[in-house]
Amino acid sequence: MFDLTAYNTFGLHVYSKDGLIVRCVEDLSKIRDDKFIILGKGSDVLLTDDYDGTVLIDEIKDLEISEEQDSFLVKAGGGIVLDDLIAKLVSQNIGGLENLSAIPGTVGAAPVQNIGAYGVEIGNFIESVEFVDLLSLRKGCFNREQCDFGYRSSYFKKNPQQKLFITSVNMRFSKGFNPCLTYKGLQDEDLLTYADIRNRVIALRRKKLPDPKVVGNAGSFFKNPIVEQAVLDKLKNEYADLPVYAAEDGKFKLAAGWLIDKSNCRGITHGNAGTWEHQALVLVNRGEARPHEIVALAKYIQAEVKTKFDIFLEPEVRVFGKDGELKWSQL
Ligand code: EPU
């Protein structure tokens, strides 16, 4: 049995039949099981059961930074802790990812969810993603278009059956000071360097989000829902203070945290699971939570929001059960 407590930031006590720490591409040839899943730090996953197979842990940590005339090229191993990479880039005055500071997780997991925060998504900087197809053990590489990035989505997330193990991510950052300061907490004249922005982002996150090393959680549990104009108009009529952001294709993004909060679900506790007092979108393990308690709370929240706003909240976290990845509807 392989203990997965340290490999899921909810801190749930779950196990897999076996585990393989992958430190270099060659380690992938040591897979003996035909049933496996891939995890980095498990920061965006909910493990609902012990897994009846091998869990592959990405620990490939090679890093190359090269300089071109107008930009820096960074090739980062999938197992590098994303925040360690950001700290290093910022210390060398290479900007782009500073708004993603303090997000838990690895470089290899970042393109899968196309992680984002404070107006920046990692996909904007990715030139290509290198991987090993575990079904054939062949190396492959997707350019940005093939990665098919969307809001908390990518080709890798949409096609889990393909078992692509991300070995490295190639990113390009332009030289000069080109910060993204659109988020309201970043609209401040004191933010003059990438290090200033990183520090501000870390402070903003500390205020709103629990540190998974202290309180188990997986960041935003649900995605912010995207709705059509007609749905927005109806809600705006009733709730003048509804937060709304422009989304793709003339649609609108609503704040799931606000919807949950207004459904009286912020700071609640059900068994050993709860929602965070300062950000209702974050489900937390209040102690020794069992997976089913997190699932039950998430379903309760979905039902409350559906009843009040007629909106379905789709989970952002990926869910893995006894036999591998599950659709939410299977729970
Ligand atoms: N709000 C409430 N009550 C709450 C939570 C939020 O009223 O309990 C309101 C806020 O006041 C604000 C709005 O909802 O008006 C949006 O809240 P916030 O700015 O905290 O951002 P979010 O939309 O809830 C998203 C990302 C976060 C990211 C932040 C900042 C998603 C699902 N979540 O949260 O990403 O850090 O924006 O950019 O897109 C993650 O994906 O795990 C994550 C933490």
Side-chain angles (χ1 to χ4, degrees):
M1 294 291 263
F2 184 80
D3 188 353
L4 295 172
T5 312
Y7 295 106
N8 78 104
T9 57
F10 262 121
L12 299 170
H13 299 302
V14 277
Y15 293 81
S16 60
K17 205 168 74 187
D18 206 353
L20 178 67
I21 310 283
V22 180
R23 297 198 170 84
C24 59
V25 174
E26 291 67 38
D27 283 345
L28 289 168
S29 60
K30 295 181 194 155
I31 303 173
R32 295 284 167 263
D33 207 340
D34 54 7
K35 197 167 167 184
F36 45 77
I37 56 173
I38 306 159
L39 286 182
K41 290 274 175 240
S43 57
D44 235 329
V45 299
L46 174 62
L47 307 176
T48 59
D49 213 336
D50 291 342
Y51 176 59
D52 184 26
T54 300
V55 171
L56 309 179
I57 309 284
D58 193 341
E59 290 268 358
I60 299 177
K61 291 191 188 280
D62 307 319
L63 177 64
E64 287 168 33
I65 302 178
S66 53
E67 193 172 343
E68 294 196 347
Q69 200 180 356
D70 301 320
S71 57
F72 294 98
L73 280 178
V74 174
K75 179 183 171 100
I80 294 177
V81 171
L82 179 68
D83 195 53
D84 292 350
L85 174 68
I86 299 172
K88 185 161 196 139
L89 295 177
V90 166
S91 75
Q92 298 185 18
N93 207 24
I94 301 176
L97 301 186
E98 56 286 347
N99 294 35
L100 307 182
S101 292
I103 294 183
T106 56
V107 166
V112 178
Q113 290 279 32
N114 186 18
I115 62 159
Y118 307 109
V120 169
E121 285 182 347
I122 192 133
N124 301 344
F125 297 94
I126 292 179
E127 289 217 320
S128 62
V129 173
E130 295 179 36
F131 56 82
V132 172
D133 177 338
L134 296 177
L135 302 178
S136 63
L137 284 184
R138 285 224 181 101
K139 289 184 186 175
C141 183
F142 279 168
N143 62 27
R144 186 189 304 162
E145 205 168 295
Q146 290 169 303
C147 289
D148 191 20
F149 292 121
Y151 167 58
R152 296 294 192 278
S153 165
S154 68
Y155 180 92
F156 305 100
K157 188 167 177 183
K158 287 185 206 151
N159 296 282
Q161 75 290 350
Q162 292 207 354
K163 309 270 188 197
L164 305 181
F165 186 99
I166 294 178
T167 49
S168 61
V169 178
N170 297 307
M171 290 164 278
R172 186 185 289 275
F173 304 103
S174 52
K175 287 187 181 170
F177 189 55
N178 319 295
C180 172
L181 302 174
T182 49
Y183 191 82
K184 60 180 183 312
L186 298 179
Q187 285 163 2
D188 186 335
E189 283 162 16
D190 293 348
L191 301 175
L192 299 174
T193 65
Y194 290 127
D196 291 342
I197 299 167
R198 170 170 165 80
N199 291 336
R200 174 63 59 84
V201 165
I202 291 173
L204 283 174
R205 289 185 71 89
R206 277 210 191 115
K207 257 197 243 162
K208 280 194 179 178
L209 301 166
D211 177 353
K213 289 191 197 104
V214 184
V215 177
N217 76 88
S220 301
F221 192 91
F222 300 101
K223 289 192 196 182
N224 283 333
I226 309 233
V227 299
E228 309 271 348
Q229 179 88 49
V231 176
L232 175 71
D233 291 347
K234 196 162 157 253
L235 285 170
K236 266 275 177 208
N237 253 336
E238 228 179 308
Y239 305 96
D241 57 339
L242 179 82
V244 185
Y245 313 94
E248 282 164 22
D249 307 327
K251 292 186 185 167
F252 301 91
K253 197 190 267 182
L254 306 179
W258 187 92
L259 299 170
I260 297 169
D261 193 345
K262 288 288 181 267
S263 305
N264 293 323
C265 291
R266 176 160 56 83
I268 59 172
T269 298
H270 284 198
N272 293 302
T275 56
W276 191 236
E277 288 67 13
H278 308 293
Q279 169 48 289
L281 186 50
V282 178
L283 271 63
V284 294
N285 175 353
R286 294 222 187 271
E288 292 295 305
R290 305 285 303 274
H292 72 264
E293 293 178 295
I294 308 276
V295 174
L297 176 62
K299 293 205 162 182
Y300 172 80
I301 292 168
Q302 283 181 314
E304 292 297 292
V305 169
K306 179 84 185 144
T307 305
K308 189 163 174 77
F309 296 104
D310 196 21
I311 285 184
F312 173 72
L313 291 184
E314 187 192 332
E316 179 196 306
V317 295
R318 298 174 73 189
V319 183
F320 295 89
K322 187 169 169 293
D323 293 313
E325 187 152 13
L326 293 169
K327 292 200 167 72
W328 188 250
S329 55
Q330 291 174 278
L331 289 171

